[in-house]
Amino acid sequence: MGYTPTVSTPDSRARPGREETGSFVSVPQLIEDLGPRIYNVALRVLGNTADAEDAVQQAFTDAVRGAAGFRGEASPQTWMWQIAHHAIGKVVRRRARKEVQLVPWSELGPAGEPSASAAHVLAPDDAVDRARLVALAVRCLDALPSAEREILALRDLEGMPVRDVAHTLEISVAAAKSRIHRARLTLKRAVRFAATTHAAKPNNPRKTR
Amino acid sequence: MTLSCERVFTLLSEYLDGELPSDIQAAFDKHIGGCTRCARFGQEFAQVVQSLRASERPVMPDALRTRLRELARSSPAKAQTDS
């Protein structure tokens, strides 16, 4: 059964006119506007293209089914992101993916002083270092629990405003801010740990700098 | 207004997102200016978030785009059947 979103958070963006089908929403337009962005989030949360494609296709299938019932309580974009959130969650649950964490982040305790090498990785001073940090951040993001991957993908990969993140996940703005902050802190800790581990390897040239 | 290190820690994301009220932001800046530990933590925090924002976006496969466009042309009843 498809997800039929109930939106209680109207926003001020312009409402589209009613489509010929009787719906207020144009799914073809949403595919063009949001398809690649939803695919990006799905891929980041699910970790492989096959599952991401399944989730995106399910989301737009649900949108086609639900479009006739859309009454414009929220913007079509918010409505579509909510459907995508549920479709991605459905794949996560179906797959019952075991969350693989490279490091038990919660058991690391308070971060201590970084080594000089780790501090360098976390404070890049040239383009090469920045590229390394980007790769490290993405790798560590992939190791976070799916809920944290999703909220960071929405906020920091897609640049979605906090308010829209809250609407998509159907939580309060305060809760969204809190979750975003916690997820970022977890990611930072993961990157710090990975940078330290990487820096400690004997063949890492950073160690000798 | 003064902020403790613990309070600065909790406000990092809102600071980075430019969502702090001006008086709290001023207090945040003042604290960071005088606290090396928080300044370094905040800098690393910002670097990680900015790195994520700078990462490459995957390209949606053309085949998927085609399937979605076909899906959108179908009726809700057909979408129900196809899924």
Side-chain angles (χ1 to χ4, degrees), chain A residues 31-32 35 39-40 53 57 60-61 65 113 122 133-134 138 155-157 162 177 181 184 188 192, chain B residues 9 13 17 19 40 44-45 47 51-53 55 57-58 60-61 67-69 71-72 79-80 83:
Chain A
I31 288 170
E32 302 306 322
Y39 176 75
N40 182 22
E53 291 191 27
Q57 186 152 340
F60 283 103
T61 298
R65 289 181 202 160
E113 292 299 308
L122 287 160
L133 182 54
V134 167
V138 171
R155 179 70 189 99
D156 290 324
L157 294 183
V162 175
K177 283 183 180 179
H181 188 54
R184 284 172 172 172
K188 179 196 173 296
R192 159 79 74 87
Chain B
F9 183 82
S13 279
D17 292 337
E19 294 181 344
R40 186 166 59 198
E44 291 181 5
F45 184 85
Q47 285 284 1
S51 295
L52 212 52
R53 291 176 178 173
S55 63
R57 304 293 183 269
M60 188 168 79
R67 288 204 302 278
L68 295 179
R69 286 171 175 164
L71 178 70
Q80 183 92 31
S83 64

Side-chain angles (χ1 to χ4, degrees), chain A residues 57-205:
Chain A
Q57 186 152 340
Q58 183 62 54
F60 283 103
T61 298
D62 290 347
V64 169
R65 289 181 202 160
F70 179 79
R71 292 292 176 265
E73 292 92 343
S75 72
Q77 289 77 16
T78 298
W79 177 79
M80 189 65 232
W81 275 113
Q82 287 184 347
I83 294 174
H85 163 62
H86 284 269
I88 292 168
K90 193 182 292 183
V91 175
V92 169
R93 288 188 296 276
R94 185 185 72 205
R95 190 172 61 181
R97 171 179 171 156
K98 184 178 179 183
E99 298 288 357
V100 178
Q101 295 188 24
L102 301 178
V103 179
W105 314 122
S106 58
E107 297 172 13
L108 288 177
E113 292 299 308
S115 66
S117 299
H120 180 87
V121 173
L122 287 160
D125 56 15
D126 62 34
V128 173
D129 287 337
R130 279 193 289 275
R132 284 181 178 146
L133 182 54
V134 167
L136 193 58
V138 171
R139 189 155 57 86
C140 289
L141 174 67
D142 288 343
L144 299 186
S146 61
E148 295 190 330
R149 289 199 301 273
E150 182 177 27
I151 202 163
L152 290 181
L154 291 170
R155 179 70 189 99
D156 290 324
L157 294 183
E158 281 306 321
M160 184 181 282
V162 175
R163 183 170 172 273
D164 291 351
V165 171
H167 290 177
T168 296
L169 302 181
E170 298 171 89
I171 58 178
S172 68
V173 171
K177 283 183 180 179
S178 175
R179 287 193 198 178
I180 288 166
H181 188 54
R182 282 204 307 271
R184 284 172 172 172
L185 287 171
T186 305
L187 180 66
K188 179 196 173 296
R189 183 180 290 185
V191 171
R192 159 79 74 87
F193 185 86
T196 304
T197 304
H198 176 68
K201 288 181 180 175
N203 61 351
N204 182 359

